[in-house]
Amino acid sequence: MLSLAGELFAYMNARKKWWLLPILLVLMAFGGLIILAQGSAVAPFIYTVF
């Protein structure tokens, strides 16, 4: 997993595509919320955000 992140940052640095970073961070945040909402006690509070 760490090597994938390293390759991604190397790609963004080489191609000067730093605009991809905010998009990836938002996607990772949504993925984290989905994983957290699967079966925890926090799920009702996450559903009220959306």
Side-chain angles (χ1 to χ4, degrees):
M1 184 70 173
L2 197 55
S3 66
L4 177 66
E7 288 184 26
L8 186 61
F9 283 120
Y11 170 77
M12 288 191 296
N13 193 23
R15 303 282 192 262
K16 305 296 186 236
K17 295 191 181 285
W18 291 109
W19 53 270
L20 287 173
L21 189 61
I23 296 170
L24 292 173
L25 291 176
V26 168
L27 285 174
M28 288 180 8
F30 278 135
L33 280 175
I34 289 172
I35 290 172
L36 186 65
Q38 286 297 318
S40 71
V42 185
F45 300 110
I46 293 175
Y47 291 136
T48 59
V49 171
F50 298 107

